[in-house]
């Protein structure tokens, strides 16, 4: 069996997969074997491509079943126990033709009859030894099994069963490994290509920034790659892809079955013999029922993953790695310590780093691969954000990506004047993007802050449908006091939160982010700088004229929220409202009186029912009846008055509604100035 094709190319992605290419030589119709982890089989079946590059063909690709070991062994016709394996095996293959070599030269062909244990004398004792009995021609011959030097199975079926059993047992030692076999067809020696996609660790990046006076900062990038597979990567072509292409897991490895309908065979009870009647003719029909079943073959789709686009025409040569013997500055040592040869190119929305030299990473090992060594446009600045640190700004590198490459996010180690000064995290950067890379707290600069909020004057008043709405400004002033205790001038970028308020009487920010205004301040050595951020937003207050009093009307008129016409209309509404209130009071009084009359009538009727016959009782009864008549007259009068009051109330409320709807006014009070009235006293 030829060895598996060696890995020649590895492409690692940022979303947890790797693309692998294998190339090698095959002769004739050899079968190649690849071992994969069981969890990777779905990815392999989804993406594997096999090509014969020399005119041959790939006849089939087979792979291990998903059945568990116990079930596979049950399908074998042979069982071999852990102890006594040879005698147990020969006992199961009775009737098999074999060739036996006893000693050095004697060879005998025969059919296995069986095994038996016979006593053999050794000195004064007898030892039981196994003997193999063969049918040789027409005679039976027995051989001491311990003296048999070689036994060959001449039966092809038995030999294949034994090989299957042993291969299945061997696979159990690697329970998570599945074998995939590629059957080739052709003549002579040919070149074979295979590629597939597997789950792989995400490749990572880390950077080093060297800051020196009067020189551009130097950026060095390294890629961290991990080989977690069971095979070494020896002199492979390594490429790293930045981006997030679509990838998913789909179960192609597990057998898939379709539920089919079950059709019962139609049966009838046995018929008893009958005597047909005599007739003049016979008609009969016979129905024949036949059923056909069609079997569907599952077709495995192999998705081809094409190789990447050709390399860039001219490799970009820079230098990397830190330290080394010999004189020179740290920058010079970094430049001559290790050569960085990385080909880079855009691949759609992706970006590819291809290392221009063979890379070796042994199994279960990781490696640092240099991918970048270039100067860039940048400088040391300060960045203050109160949520990051309230009292001090952060020392940062203002990094503009002038390398021409897409920089993947990763940790950054910053060195200044041959000294380690801090670390930072870098987000993914496209070419010409600018980022602040904070790496240390600047204790030589102190920031204090004071917030003050006030309510501004009214700048607009609108009357509509009986409602007065006034609009005014909320003002918020934030005073930043920055003390630069360092002996050098510094540039500070101050981040002020964006809350949806409008900047007012404040310098334009140098730039704006999603959540912050970023202002630029130049700090002199040992000096103090004050900076005020003024913001404003609008607020509203409303009054419903149906509930407004005369004092409020006078205030609105004096403040300019309404004019004289609206004021007169509101006063008329107030007068109508007072009339409605008086009518309501009168209605309440009449309802109370009516309720009292109802109580008195109940008491009088109870007294009448309790009177007995007699002259005195009759006189009192007549008095009660007269009182009831008077109360009934009053109740009728109250009912008429309540009806009148209800009619007057309805008319007054309708009139008040019409007056409110007719009130309309707009007062544009202009830009607020000192002395203007605020929304409410």
């Amino acid at each position: 069996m030829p060895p598996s094709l060696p890995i020649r190319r590895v492409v690692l992605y940022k979303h947890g997969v790797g693309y692998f290419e294998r190339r090698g030589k095959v002769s004739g119709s050899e079968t190649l074997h690849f071992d994969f982890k069981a969890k990777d089989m779905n990815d392999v079946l989804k993406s594997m491509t096999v090509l014969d590059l020399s005119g041959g063909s790939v006849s089939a690709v087979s792979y291990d079943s998903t059945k568990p070991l116990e079930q596979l062994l049950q399908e074998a016709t042979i069982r071999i126990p852990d102890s006594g394996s040879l005698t147990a095996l020969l006992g199961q293959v009775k009737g098999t033709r074999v060739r036996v070599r006893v000693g050095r030269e004697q060879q005998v062909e025969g059919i296995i009859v069986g095994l038996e244990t016979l006593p053999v004398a050794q000195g004064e004792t007898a030892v039981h030894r196994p003997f193999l009995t063969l049918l040789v021609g027409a005679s039976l011959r027995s051989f001491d099994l311990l003296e048999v030097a070689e036994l060959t199975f001449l039966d092809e079926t038995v030999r294949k069963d034994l090989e299957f059993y042993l291969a299945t047992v061997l696979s159990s030692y690697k329970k998570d490994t599945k074998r995939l076999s590629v059957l080739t067809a052709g003549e002579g020696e040919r070149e074979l290509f295979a590629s597939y996609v597997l789950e792989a660790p995400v490749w990572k990046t880390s950077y080093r920034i060297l800051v020196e006076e009067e020189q551009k900062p130097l950026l060095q990038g390294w890629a961290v790659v991990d080989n977690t597979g069971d095979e070494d990567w020896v002199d492979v072509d390594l490429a790293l892809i930045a981006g997030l292409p679509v990838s998913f897991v789909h179960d192609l490895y597990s057998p898939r079955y379709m539920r089919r309908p079950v059709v019962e065979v139609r049966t009838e009870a046995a018929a008893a013999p009958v005597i047909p009647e005599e007739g003049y003719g016979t008609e009969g029909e016979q129905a024949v029922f036949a059923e056909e079943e069609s079997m569907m073959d599952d077709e495995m789709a192999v998705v081809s993953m094409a190789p990447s686009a050709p390399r860039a025409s001219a490799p970009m040569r820079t230098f990397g790695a830190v330290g080394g013997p010999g004189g020179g500055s740290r920058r010079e040592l970094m430049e001559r310590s290790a050569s960085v040869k990385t080909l880079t190119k855009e691949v759609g929305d992706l970006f590819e780093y291809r290392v221009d030299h063979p890379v070796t990473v042994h199994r279960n090992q990781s490696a640092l691969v240099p991918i970048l060594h270039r100067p860039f446009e940048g400088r040391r600045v300060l960045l203050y954000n109160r949520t990051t640190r309230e009292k001090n700004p952060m020392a940062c590198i203002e990094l503009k990506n002038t390398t021409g490459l897409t920089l993947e996010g990763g940790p950054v180690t910053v060195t200044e004047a041959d000294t380690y000064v801090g670390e930072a995290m870098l987000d993914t950067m496209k070419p010409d993007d600018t980022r602040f890379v904070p790496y240390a707290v600047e204790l030589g600069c102190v920031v204090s802050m004071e917030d003050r909020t006030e309510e501004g004057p009214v700048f607009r008043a609108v009357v509509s449908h009986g409602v007065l709405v006034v609009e005014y400004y909320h003002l918020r002033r934030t005073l930043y006091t920055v003390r630069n205790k360092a002996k050098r001038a510094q540039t500070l970028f101050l981040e002020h939160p964006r809350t949806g308020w409008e900047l007012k009487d404040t310098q334009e920010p140098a730039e704006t982010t999603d959540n912050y205004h970023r202002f630029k301040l130049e700090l002199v050595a040992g000096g103090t700088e004050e900076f005020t951020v003024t913001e404003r937003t609008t607020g509203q207050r409303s009054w419903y004229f149906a509930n407004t009093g005369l004092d409020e009307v006078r205030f609105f008129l004096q403040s300019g929220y309404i004019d004289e016409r609206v004021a007169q209309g509101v006063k008329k509404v107030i007068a109508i409202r007072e009339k409605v209130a008086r009518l309501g009071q009168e209605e309440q009084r009449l309802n109370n009186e009516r309720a009292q009359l109802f109580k008195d009538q109940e008491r009088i009727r109870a007294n009448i029912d309790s009177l007995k016959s007699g002259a005195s009782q009759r006189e009192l009864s007549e008095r009660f009846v007269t009182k009831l008549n008077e109360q009934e007259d009053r109740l009728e009068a109250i009912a008429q008055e309540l009806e009148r009051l209800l009619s007057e109330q309805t008319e007054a409320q309708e009139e008040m509604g019409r007056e409110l709807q007719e009130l309309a006014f707009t007062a544009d009070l202009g830009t607020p100035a000192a002395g203007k009235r605020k929304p409410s006293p």
Side-chain angles (χ1 to χ4, degrees):
M1 181 184 67
S4 177
L5 299 179
I7 297 176
R8 295 303 185 193
R9 183 165 181 250
V10 176
V11 183
L12 300 179
Y13 292 81
K14 276 291 187 178
H15 66 305
V17 300
Y19 169 74
F20 299 85
E21 284 185 5
R22 295 175 178 265
R23 286 176 181 262
K25 299 292 185 179
V26 295
S27 297
S29 298
E30 289 182 329
T31 299
L32 297 178
H33 299 282
F34 303 94
D35 290 329
F36 297 102
K37 296 178 181 178
K39 66 182 181 63
D40 292 330
M41 287 299 294
N42 285 318
D43 286 327
V44 172
L45 298 179
K46 181 179 64 175
S47 61
M48 190 166 197
T49 301
V50 183
L51 302 174
D52 192 319
L53 304 180
S54 303
S57 63
V58 177
S59 58
V61 177
S62 62
Y63 51 92
D64 287 346
S65 169
T66 59
K67 294 180 180 179
L69 175 64
E70 295 76 9
Q71 187 174 351
L72 289 174
L73 293 179
Q74 288 177 0
E75 296 176 0
T77 58
I78 295 175
R79 303 285 188 276
I80 302 178
D82 293 336
S83 60
S85 56
L86 180 57
T87 56
L89 172 62
L90 295 177
Q92 297 178 60
V93 292
K94 295 178 182 179
T96 301
R97 177 170 291 278
V98 296
R99 180 187 300 117
V100 176
R101 182 167 62 85
V102 181
R104 294 185 177 180
E105 298 181 357
Q106 182 183 5
Q107 290 190 359
V108 179
E109 288 189 11
I111 300 174
I112 296 177
V113 176
L115 286 173
E116 56 184 340
T117 303
L118 301 175
V120 177
Q122 288 187 353
E124 298 180 356
T125 62
V127 178
H128 288 80
R129 297 168 66 94
F131 281 80
L132 174 64
T133 302
L134 298 180
L135 176 62
V136 181
S139 61
L140 295 175
R141 297 181 60 180
S142 295
F143 301 91
D144 189 340
L145 191 58
L146 300 182
E147 295 179 357
V148 174
E150 181 181 350
L151 188 147
T152 304
F153 289 100
L154 303 178
D155 192 319
E156 182 73 15
T157 302
V158 174
R159 187 169 65 250
K160 288 185 177 180
D161 286 347
L162 181 58
E163 290 177 352
F164 170 77
Y165 180 88
L166 295 176
T168 303
V169 173
L170 178 62
S171 67
S172 67
Y173 298 130
K174 291 185 177 181
K175 296 183 179 179
D176 193 39
T177 300
K178 299 295 181 181
R179 170 155 291 186
L180 184 144
S181 301
V182 178
L183 284 67
T184 65
E187 297 180 356
E189 188 177 69
R190 305 182 313 283
E191 185 176 7
L192 202 69
F193 168 92
S195 67
Y196 49 85
V197 173
L198 293 181
E199 182 181 45
V202 174
W203 67 277
K204 304 171 285 292
T205 51
S206 64
Y207 300 93
R208 291 88 172 113
I209 292 180
L210 177 61
V211 181
E212 292 183 332
E213 294 291 338
E214 299 180 356
Q215 293 193 58
K216 284 187 175 182
L218 186 65
L219 179 64
Q220 186 180 82
W222 295 76
V224 181
V225 296
D226 305 290
N227 180 8
T228 59
D230 295 331
E231 187 173 349
D232 295 336
W233 301 346
V234 179
D235 293 337
V236 300
D237 180 10
L238 178 64
L240 308 172
I241 301 293
L244 290 175
V246 174
S247 182
F248 55 88
V249 176
H250 184 73
D251 189 1
L252 292 172
Y253 185 49
S254 301
R256 191 177 303 164
Y257 300 96
M258 294 293 292
R259 183 181 297 276
R260 297 180 297 165
V262 177
V263 179
E264 299 291 343
V265 178
R266 180 178 297 180
T267 60
E268 295 181 356
V274 296
I275 300 175
E277 296 181 353
E278 182 181 2
Y280 298 99
T282 60
E283 292 182 0
E285 294 183 354
Q286 181 180 7
V288 179
F289 298 93
E291 300 176 356
E292 297 181 354
E293 296 181 353
S294 62
M295 301 179 62
M296 295 182 294
D297 295 332
D298 291 330
E299 181 176 339
M300 182 183 69
V302 179
V303 181
S304 172
M305 181 171 183
S308 299
R311 301 180 181 180
S313 58
M316 295 173 286
R317 300 179 179 270
T318 55
F319 300 90
V322 178
S329 67
R330 187 181 185 90
R331 176 187 289 261
E332 294 172 349
L333 293 174
M334 293 174 66
E335 289 181 349
R336 67 168 179 252
S337 58
S339 175
V340 177
K341 298 180 180 179
T342 305
L343 303 177
T344 58
K345 68 178 300 180
E346 297 282 349
V347 185
D349 291 334
L350 311 179
F351 192 85
E352 177 183 1
Y353 299 85
R354 177 172 293 179
V355 182
D356 194 32
H357 57 81
V359 175
T360 296
V361 185
H362 295 288
R363 57 183 293 185
N364 294 322
Q365 289 189 355
S366 302
L368 275 171
V369 181
I371 58 174
L372 171 66
H373 190 102
R374 292 187 182 182
F376 65 92
E377 290 185 13
R379 57 173 177 163
R380 183 185 185 278
V381 297
L382 304 181
L383 179 67
Y384 175 77
N385 187 306
R386 64 189 296 184
T387 60
T388 301
R389 190 175 177 89
E390 187 175 0
K391 296 296 184 183
N392 306 99
M394 301 294 293
C396 303
I397 300 295
E398 185 184 15
L399 190 157
K400 183 176 182 181
N401 184 11
T402 55
T403 64
L405 310 177
T406 296
L407 302 180
E408 277 296 300
V412 181
T413 300
V414 182
T415 304
E416 184 176 354
D418 296 337
T419 303
Y420 163 83
V421 293
E423 298 175 353
M425 283 298 296
L426 183 68
D427 287 336
T428 300
M429 295 182 64
K430 292 292 185 180
D432 297 325
D433 282 354
T434 301
R435 294 283 193 281
F436 288 95
V437 184
Y439 61 86
V441 177
E442 179 55 75
L443 299 177
C445 184
V446 179
V447 181
S448 60
M449 185 181 58
E450 179 183 353
D451 282 326
R452 185 171 68 253
T453 303
E454 62 186 52
E455 193 174 274
V458 174
F459 63 90
R460 183 180 177 85
V462 177
V463 177
S464 178
H465 302 293
V467 179
L468 169 64
V469 178
V470 297
E471 300 180 30
Y472 59 95
Y473 286 117
H474 283 301
L475 296 177
R476 181 173 60 205
R477 292 184 173 88
T478 304
L479 173 63
Y480 294 93
T481 303
V482 184
R483 289 176 291 167
N484 181 20
K485 298 187 290 185
K487 295 182 180 180
R488 61 180 177 181
Q490 303 193 84
T491 299
L492 171 70
F493 286 89
L494 187 151
E495 291 187 337
H496 184 82
R498 295 178 61 189
T499 59
W501 291 38
E502 174 190 5
L503 291 177
K504 180 67 175 175
D505 300 329
T506 303
Q507 75 176 46
E508 288 293 323
E511 59 185 11
T512 301
T513 69
D514 290 339
N515 299 305
Y516 294 96
H517 296 294
R518 190 172 285 163
F519 300 97
K520 181 180 178 181
L521 304 179
E522 298 293 342
L523 307 179
V524 299
T528 300
E529 180 80 15
E530 289 189 349
F531 180 73
T532 301
V533 179
T534 302
E535 301 168 285
R536 72 179 184 183
T537 188
T538 59
Q540 290 185 345
R541 288 186 181 172
S542 58
W543 289 268
Y544 186 43
F545 284 143
N547 301 323
T548 302
L550 291 176
D551 292 339
E552 292 174 308
V553 173
R554 285 191 291 270
F555 170 75
F556 297 154
L557 188 59
Q558 293 173 2
S559 302
Y561 301 164
I562 60 177
D563 60 2
E564 186 63 34
R565 180 185 60 81
V566 174
Q568 292 301 323
V570 176
K571 290 178 180 178
K572 185 176 181 181
V573 169
I574 294 174
I576 297 173
R577 186 184 65 202
E578 292 176 349
K579 177 182 178 182
V580 172
R582 290 194 301 270
L583 293 174
Q585 292 174 357
E586 180 66 18
E587 180 184 10
Q588 183 64 36
R589 184 187 66 79
L590 292 175
N591 284 328
N592 292 338
E593 181 181 356
R594 183 169 61 177
Q596 186 61 43
L597 289 174
F598 286 151
K599 289 182 179 181
D600 290 344
Q601 284 185 337
E602 291 178 1
R603 178 178 55 82
I604 293 173
R605 288 190 180 94
N607 291 336
I608 293 175
D609 292 339
S610 63
L611 293 178
K612 299 180 180 179
S613 59
S616 59
Q617 298 294 330
R618 188 168 49 256
E619 182 178 344
L620 185 57
S621 175
E622 292 175 356
R623 178 183 173 187
F624 285 155
V625 171
T626 301
K627 185 66 173 178
L628 285 174
N629 291 333
E630 293 175 356
Q631 289 178 342
E632 285 297 326
D633 294 340
R634 179 56 185 162
L635 286 173
E636 292 179 2
I638 290 175
Q640 294 176 358
E641 291 185 33
L642 287 174
E643 185 177 355
R644 177 184 59 81
L645 290 176
L646 179 60
S647 176
E648 291 182 4
Q649 282 181 322
T650 301
E651 292 178 0
Q653 289 174 347
E654 291 176 354
E655 182 182 4
M656 184 171 63
R658 288 193 298 271
E659 292 292 337
L660 289 172
Q661 291 296 321
E662 292 176 359
L663 295 178
F665 179 72
T666 299
D668 190 356
L669 305 180
T671 303
K676 292 273 188 179
R677 286 188 179 272
K678 293 187 177 182
S680 178

